[in-house]
Amino acid sequence: MTATSAPPSIAVIGAGGVGGLLAALLARAGHDVRLLARGAALSAIRDRGLKIHGPDGDHAVAIARVSDDATDLGVADIIVVTAKTWQLADLGLRLVPLIGEGTIVVPTQNGVEASEQLARALGDDHVIGGVCRVISWAERPGEIRWIGHRLSLMIGPRSSGQLERVQACAAALQAADIEVLTTEAIERERWQKFLFIAPYAAVGAVERVPVG
């Protein structure tokens, strides 16, 4: 992240169940949030803000800078990528306008290849590892339902030179309803979540049933 006395700027990529919730919680806590969204979600957020329904009630949060073009959002200190894994190959190059000298990129996807896919477009030095845990979904464009525990992010360096910036990133992302933890074994954490979710997802897809 850039060395500056101003609060870090945080670009959230995607306005679905994870991205919409994360952007709303960070903005509600007073962070400088920029949001990359598209289609009906973009229109809804511009018109009415992000709406979240959670354990603490219903809230509407205005997002000052929201666009479907990363160039409109400016260089960010932190980029949290919440788009689906299959979108990353095409998405990476679209995020280049957000990258500055000290920018750090946090993937939240399931699976174990998201960091490497983003690093091909954005640079190994910028991209760290991340694991997200939350139960949330978009009920309709710009409106997120959130149940259960707090949104939790586990982040960690992919190389020894990233450790200090990971710790600074964790401190910057902390908000009242967001838990941010750090680990020096992020590869293990990514595999643990993958091994947990893969059998549930496979059985659920075959049987066409939710976890419950």
Side-chain angles (χ1 to χ4, degrees):
M1 297 187 301
T2 55
T4 173
S5 58
S9 53
I10 304 169
V12 178
I13 310 305
V18 174
L21 177 61
L22 181 68
L25 294 177
L26 288 169
R28 196 170 76 173
H31 289 68
D32 174 8
V33 176
R34 298 96 182 268
L35 180 60
L36 190 71
R38 61 181 182 175
L42 175 61
S43 298
I45 295 164
R46 279 176 169 167
D47 292 343
R48 301 184 296 276
L50 268 168
K51 294 184 178 181
I52 54 173
H53 309 289
D56 62 345
D58 301 334
H59 303 275
V61 184
I63 305 295
R65 298 174 73 170
V66 55
S67 178
D68 58 2
D69 185 345
T71 305
D72 296 335
L73 304 182
V75 171
D77 295 307
I78 301 170
I79 304 171
V80 185
V81 183
T82 71
K84 299 298 185 184
T85 304
W86 58 267
Q87 298 173 307
L88 297 183
D90 294 328
L91 181 64
L93 290 175
R94 293 179 53 206
L95 304 183
V96 170
L98 299 171
I99 297 290
E101 182 179 351
T103 300
I104 194 163
V105 181
V106 183
T108 64
Q109 289 70 28
N110 296 325
V112 295
E113 298 177 332
S115 294
E116 289 69 29
Q117 286 180 299
L118 289 169
R120 291 187 196 110
L122 305 177
D124 263 318
D125 186 53
H126 292 291
V127 183
I128 64 171
V131 173
C132 178
R133 294 181 174 90
V134 69
I135 302 174
S136 59
W137 62 94
E139 288 196 328
R140 54 186 60 86
E143 193 163 340
I144 310 301
R145 176 72 60 178
W146 161 40
I147 62 173
H149 55 76
R150 297 165 67 195
L151 190 157
S152 176
L153 289 174
M154 174 81 74
I155 62 175
R158 295 170 56 241
S159 65
S160 58
Q162 294 178 323
L163 180 58
E164 185 176 340
R165 288 194 295 155
V166 164
Q167 293 168 339
C169 177
L173 289 174
Q174 288 280 4
D177 289 310
I178 302 174
E179 175 185 63
V180 187
L181 306 172
T182 63
T183 178
E184 293 186 51
I186 193 63
E187 188 71 10
R188 181 183 64 197
E189 294 293 332
R190 291 198 293 179
W191 274 100
Q192 283 182 339
K193 184 176 182 187
F194 179 67
L195 292 172
F196 167 78
I197 205 169
Y200 279 101
V203 172
V206 169
E207 297 296 331
R208 297 181 179 274
V209 294
V211 170

